[in-house]
Amino acid sequence: MASWAELQASVPEFAAGVRGIFDKGRHKTMATVRADGSPRISGIEAEFVDGELTFGSMAGSNKGADLRRDPRLAIHSPSLDPPEDVPESWQGDAKITGKAVLTHEVTEGEAPGPRFRVDIEEAVRVRVGEPADHLLIEVWRPDSGLRRIARR
């Protein structure tokens, strides 16, 4: 597992691309594991703060309960369609998988509840390649670094 800062230090250009995609919109999608082992999809607002990917959960939420029981998660960036006329100009979409680590509880104010950071197991960026006849899939893992896959 790695922090966002470690990913950035390892592959700065890739990290900038992933972050640019995540920063395209406020709302992301998160998958967690329910008590019965089935997946739960939730909306989430996540942000990059002080070298970490962070997010909060409302007090008493199912998502927060999922993460306290089983910290595994996947977060998907906002998703926009590629431009039809110039598909290779599409930034792509991005996914980060890992584990939620509870950092603190907010007990007062507008949004009480747990706050988490993400220990990153994998970061993925998918975009249209050049020429626009294939997808370029970039996968980074802390134990194996960055690899690129062209899929036609």
Side-chain angles (χ1 to χ4, degrees):
M1 301 282 183
S3 68
W4 179 254
E6 291 168 318
L7 188 157
Q8 254 181 322
S10 173
V11 283
E13 187 175 314
F14 170 75
V18 169
R19 182 168 180 172
I21 294 166
F22 266 83
D23 287 345
K24 283 286 184 192
R26 171 187 274 181
H27 299 102
K28 288 82 170 152
T29 306
M30 175 184 286
T32 58
V33 181
R34 296 174 189 250
D36 68 2
S38 65
R40 180 188 312 278
I41 298 291
S42 305
I44 189 78
E45 294 180 18
E47 60 184 344
F48 299 92
V49 177
D50 297 328
E52 300 288 357
L53 176 55
T54 67
F55 64 93
S57 181
M58 294 172 61
S61 74
N62 290 326
K63 173 177 47 204
D66 289 347
L67 293 170
R68 288 175 191 271
R69 185 181 51 262
D70 184 335
R72 293 176 296 167
L73 59 75
I75 303 175
H76 192 280
S77 67
S79 200
L80 304 171
D81 291 336
E84 296 222 6
D85 55 337
V86 191
E88 63 273 13
S89 69
W90 180 54
Q91 270 191 294
D93 69 7
K95 301 169 263 291
I96 293 175
T97 61
K99 292 188 177 176
V101 177
L102 180 66
T103 59
H104 64 285
E105 291 277 345
V106 174
T107 57
E108 297 179 11
E110 288 183 28
R115 300 297 184 263
F116 299 91
R117 69 176 165 78
V118 178
D119 278 352
I120 300 170
E121 182 178 335
E122 181 178 82
V124 178
R125 179 180 181 190
V126 178
R127 58 193 164 119
V128 176
E130 289 187 44
D133 64 351
H134 67 284
L135 287 178
L136 179 59
I137 304 161
E138 298 171 295
V139 180
W140 180 86
R141 296 180 67 92
D143 57 349
S144 57
L146 183 66
R147 63 190 172 106
R148 291 183 172 91
I149 304 157
R151 181 154 298 151
R152 296 194 188 282

